[in-house]
Structure formats: C-alpha cells, structure tokens
Amino acid sequence: MTTEMPSKRTTGRAALSDPAYQAFLVLRTVFTVAPIAFGLDKFTNLLTEWPGYLAPWINDLVPGSGQDAMYAVGVIEIVAGVAVAVIPRYGALLVAAWLAGIILNLLTLSGFYDVALRDFGLLIAAVALSRLAVQYAPARHSS
C-alpha cells in the first residue's frame, strides 16, 4: 500500500509566490547552468587550468594526461547539469555525488581546503534541491 501526498505543483502566480518553490527554481537553475558551464570550460581552460586541481594519485589512476581526465570530467559535469534540468530529483543527487568526489580529490591535494569547504556547501544545496524536487517536480508515472 502506498500513499501519495498531493503535489504542491501549481502554475502561475500562486506557484511563483511560494518561497519554497522559488528556492526550488533558483537551485534547479543554478545546478543546471553551473555544471554545464564548468563542464564546457574543462575543454577550454578559460577560467583556470583545470588539471592543476587533479590530485596526483587520481592522475596516476586515469589513463592519459591530466587534461584528458578533465575532458572526461567535463562530459560528466555536462551530463549532470542536463540531468538536473530534466529530472531534478535524481540529477541533483548525481551532482551531490559528483561534488563528494571532487571534495575527496581536493582534500588529498594540499592547498585547496577552502575550495573543498565551498564544494561541501554546494553538495548540501544539491541535496536540498533533490528534496525540494520531491514536492515540486514529482516523478512522472504512466498509469
């Protein structure tokens, strides 16, 4: 026996005036755009030289160069951003898991603890998005 809670999913001004729905929209937008933008930047290194953020032990595990690893990272980040746009409940968990991996990498790379702490805050925000998506972007079931 399952119980379904009615969705607060509404349209128009009523939805936009709900602070929780506003938070959902902001988080969904940020966690769609940012991973895609940062993922694309892994191919251009315009913002920074991304291979410098790769811990040596991870670089030793992956085939190819550090830049080759960043290409793979870029693809994963783009996929994560698209997943948030399409299925925010699960896409946000994908982003949270990815951020956990980034944090592990940064904690083993001396000098990036501040970035790891920032990414921990982003991880918590991604989990919050996933929880808000339960209410505001319920899974679609064919019945």
Side-chain angles (χ1 to χ4, degrees):
M1 173 189 253
T2 61
T3 59
E4 289 188 30
M5 294 187 62
S7 172
K8 287 187 180 178
R9 195 171 195 186
T10 58
T11 58
R13 293 182 183 200
L16 292 176
S17 66
D18 177 7
Y21 185 68
Q22 293 169 2
F24 168 74
L25 286 179
V26 168
L27 289 171
R28 185 177 188 178
T29 301
V30 167
F31 282 112
T32 295
V33 173
I36 293 171
F38 286 117
L40 290 171
D41 194 59
K42 299 301 188 289
F43 293 90
T44 61
N45 292 306
L46 291 175
L47 296 174
T48 189
E49 290 295 319
W50 291 108
Y53 287 88
L54 189 62
W57 68 273
I58 295 176
N59 194 28
D60 293 342
L61 290 176
V62 297
S65 67
Q67 185 58 53
D68 293 336
M70 287 299 118
Y71 294 146
V73 166
V75 169
I76 292 167
E77 289 175 342
I78 292 166
V79 167
V82 170
V84 170
V86 177
I87 46 169
R89 181 176 179 181
Y90 300 108
L93 293 176
L94 175 61
V95 169
W98 185 246
L99 284 163
I102 292 171
I103 291 166
L104 175 66
N105 170 72
L106 292 171
L107 290 176
T108 61
L109 185 61
S110 181
F112 291 98
Y113 305 123
D114 57 332
V115 180
L117 180 61
R118 181 215 52 207
D119 284 353
F120 180 72
L122 290 171
L123 183 152
I124 299 303
V127 171
L129 171 59
S130 177
R131 298 304 303 145
L132 286 166
V134 170
Q135 192 66 42
Y136 294 104
R140 296 181 184 157
H141 300 287
S142 55
S143 24

